[in-house]
């Protein structure tokens, strides 16, 4: 049978163990975003144009194909990389060339980026080239925004909705 | 690696000794880490089932249902929620300590690789279950966990589009993804339980329940913590804002700030390197082990004592193969044998009095045989002189024996205290090789080979075969289970023992010169 001192020692151990468990279960706190900052999250997945235009097959070429593989044109799968830019208040904040995904480089290009920006009034311009053009952009949107501290502004892209939009 | 192990072991030795001042050996928390892990696991499961009965799995209702539990039904569901969280934390703590302790005691290499590797996988599953659990609360912390986790996985580039897009804005939130988390949170612990069963396959009589006193103390500590500092949610998740300071559970989420701030290729490379290292560590470097226990069928009568005493299920009893009139014979699986010699200590033919033939018991360690131990005992006994002579038998994992031998103290090293057949005590006294015998080893309930201390005590108490003979005077036999920090205690015990032996009349039989006999089979200590 433990002595009173041993009982006391056990109580002390349990108290310390419970205290440490409870303490580090929620402390210390962590925050990456500095006070007064907001966040712009830009995220989309979009496939660029094919790297090579489809070529019409000649009747002879079509005839030479197995019956179940006959098709009017031959299209290579590889897509062009996208070019993306985000400008905040006329200051370039992000510029990326987004390669297509997939082993055959035929999947959609992806972008997921979080940018910490000062809260307040901003003009955000986003541009995207998906046709493989060397200069200029195929899509461009400009947003006048009032960002609150800790606000998360999500910018998405869907061609069917006309390009960039704020969620 | 050896020096790292030594540092870890020294830390645990001291901590175990410190806790040993307050706890009886059976209750010492550091000596019951595996059993405590199971205990906390069952608390997590039990409290989880209760909490789940009130939990609404809809992504918009989850937070409200947990708030109801925490505030409206705080006295039961709230306590259960706190139990669920704190027992999960305690589970991680004891699991990591268990891992470190086994590392420090070098019980992860050689044949023990299996338990190490399966334990590692279980630990990963515990983390997966815990992290998905935080996700389900769907408060600001859950939002943080969800986003950092999915961003980290997105960095692999294996998904068609970023999974983190699910958490881009409130309008992108998908309940099906949330349901998947619920499924993972329930399925993963069940998989972990199956793996825990696998984890224990190579140990005999695993301790999966802590002693009642320790279980009660742990339970009360969790209850007090749950009442004094109930687990609470932060504000509801809102994907339109970045969570303010989040109070991380550092037992589960300590890596998250690093995942968030360091480049993903670096964190992935580090994680994969650490995972590979953790799995490969039993072979870094490979353990050089002595030869496993070996059966001498000519001396095995199939009594199955070695089978009953082996702590690692390395011995099975199989039908007799040599035509001898016994039903069974023992068979050793070398891939499970840890070379502790407990089997030899259990063998009824491991009797040093045998003279007709070479001393070859039915089962023995080839590299530290019973015959060799007899030679050592006789050599040490022949060296001792004066009154109060003590023959010390000790294992390599217990009290350090270096420099202990003297004119009145003989020292014989064992693989484990359980390797000592009780007949050796009788032999030492009957042959007047010493006035008393002291057997020492690991601290109680901390035997390196699991059952060496317990079986030795039981054999000496004549409650487990092979029994110590009745003619052995109890005043001439002592045991000391003190572990590596027990050198001072051993020396004090030896002084007191020698004094008490001096007060006794001389050992009855006169010293006898052993007659000629065949040499022992193996001669290496």
């Amino acid at each position: 049978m433990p002595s009173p001192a041993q009982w006391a020692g056990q109580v002390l151990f349990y108290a310390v163990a419970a205290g440490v468990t409870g303490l580090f279960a929620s402390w210390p706190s962590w925050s990456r975003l500095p006070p007064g900052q907001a966040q712009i999250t830009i995220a989309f997945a979009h496939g660029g144009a094919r790297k090579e235009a489809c070529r019409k097959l000649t009747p002879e070429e079509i005839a030479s194909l197995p019956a179940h593989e006959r098709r009017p044109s031959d299209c290579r799968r590889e897509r062009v990389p996208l070019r993306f830019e985000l400008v905040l208040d006329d200051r370039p904040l992000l510029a990326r060339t987004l390669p297509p995904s997939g082993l055959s480089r035929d999947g959609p290009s992806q972008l997921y980026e979080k940018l910490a920006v000062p809260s307040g009034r901003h003009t955000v311009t986003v541009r995207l080239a998906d046709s493989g053009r060397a200069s200029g952009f195929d899509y461009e949107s400009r947003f006048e925004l009032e960002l609150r501290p800790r606000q998360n502004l999500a910018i998405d892209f869907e061609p069917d909705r006309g390009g960039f939009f704020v969620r | 690696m050896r020096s790292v192990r030594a540092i870890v072991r020294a830390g645990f030795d001291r901590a175990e000794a410190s806790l040993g001042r307050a706890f009886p050996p059976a209750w010492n928390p550091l000596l019951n880490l595996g059993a405590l892990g199971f205990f906390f696991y069952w608390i997590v499961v039990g409290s989880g089932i209760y909490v789940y009965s009130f939990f609404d799995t809809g992504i918009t209702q989850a937070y409200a249902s947990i708030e109801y539990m925490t505030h409206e039904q705080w006295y039961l569901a709230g306590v259960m929620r706190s139990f669920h969280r704190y027992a999960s934390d305690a589970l991680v703590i004891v699991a990591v300590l268990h891992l470190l302790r086994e590392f420090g005691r070098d019980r992860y290499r050689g044949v023990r690789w299996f338990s190490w590797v399966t334990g590692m996988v279980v630990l990963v599953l515990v983390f997966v279950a815990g992290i998905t659990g935080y996700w389900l609360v769907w408060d600001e912390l859950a939002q943080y966990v969800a986003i950092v986790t999915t961003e980290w996985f997105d960095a692999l580039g294996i998904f068609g589009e970023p999974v983190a897009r699910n958490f881009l804005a409130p309008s992108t939130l998908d309940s099906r993804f949330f349901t998947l988390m619920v499924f993972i949170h329930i399925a993963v612990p069940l998989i972990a339980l199956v793996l825990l069963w696998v984890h224990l396959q190579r140990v005999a009589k695993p301790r999966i329940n802590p002693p009642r006193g320790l279980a009660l103390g742990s339970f009360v500590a969790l209850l007090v913590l749950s009442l004094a500092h109930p687990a609470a949610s932060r504000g509801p998740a809102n994907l339109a804002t970045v969570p303010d300071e989040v109070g991380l559970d550092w037992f589960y989420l300590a890596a998250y700030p690093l995942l968030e701030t360091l480049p993903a290729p670096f964190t992935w490379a580090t994680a994969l390197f650490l995972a590979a290292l953790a799995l490969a560590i039993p072979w870094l470097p490979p353990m050089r082990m002595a030869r496993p226990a070996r059966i001498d069928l000519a001396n095995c009568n199939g009594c199955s004592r070695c089978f009953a005493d082996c702590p690692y299920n390395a011995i099975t009893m199989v039908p007799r193969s040599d035509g001898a009139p016994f039903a069974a014979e023992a068979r050793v699986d070398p891939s499970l044998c840890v070379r502790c010699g407990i089997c030899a200590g259990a063998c009824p033919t491991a009797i040093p009095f045998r003279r007709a033939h070479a001393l070859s018991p039915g089962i023995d360690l080839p590299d530290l045989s019973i015959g060799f131990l007899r030679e050592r005992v006789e050599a040490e006994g022949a060296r001792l002189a004066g009154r109060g002579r003590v023959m010390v038998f000790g294992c390599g994992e217990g009290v350090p024996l270096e420099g202990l031998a003297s004119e009145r103290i003989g020292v014989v090293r064992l693989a484990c205290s359980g390797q000592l057949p009780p007949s050796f005590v009788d032999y030492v006294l009957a042959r007047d090789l010493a006035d008393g015998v002291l057997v020492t080893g690991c601290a109680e309930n901390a035997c390196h080979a699991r059952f060496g201390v317990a079986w030795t005590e039981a054999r000496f108490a004549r409650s487990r075969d092979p029994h110590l003979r009745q003619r052995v005077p109890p005043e001439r036999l002592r045991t000391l289970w003190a572990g590596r920090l027990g050198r001072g205690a051993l020396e004090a015990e030896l002084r007191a023992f020698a004094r008490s032996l001096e007060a006794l009349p001389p050992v009855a039989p006169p010293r006898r010169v052993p007659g000629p006999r065949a040499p022992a089979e193996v001669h290496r200590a």
Side-chain angles (χ1 to χ4, degrees), chain B residues 254-311:
Chain B
Y256 271 62
L258 299 176
L259 298 183
E260 195 186 11
T261 50
L262 296 175
F266 175 78
T267 53
W268 268 110
T270 305
L272 293 175
F273 172 75
L274 291 177
L277 181 66
L279 292 177
I281 209 168
W283 295 276
L284 298 176
M287 190 177 227
R288 284 190 298 177
M289 298 187 79
R291 285 175 288 171
R294 191 175 60 194
I295 304 290
D296 180 357
L297 213 48
N299 286 299
C300 173
N301 63 10
C303 70
S304 77
R305 287 181 188 171
C306 55
F307 165 75
D309 280 8
C310 177

Side-chain angles (χ1 to χ4, degrees), chain A residues 38-39 41 147-154 167, chain B residues 143 147 167-171 236-243:
Chain A
Q39 179 173 281
T41 306
L147 294 177
R148 300 182 308 278
R150 311 207 76 78
Q151 181 179 349
N152 177 43
L153 180 88
R167 282 196 181 270
Chain B
Q143 177 182 340
I147 290 173
F167 307 103
L168 193 58
S171 59
N238 179 5
L239 295 172
T241 63
V242 180

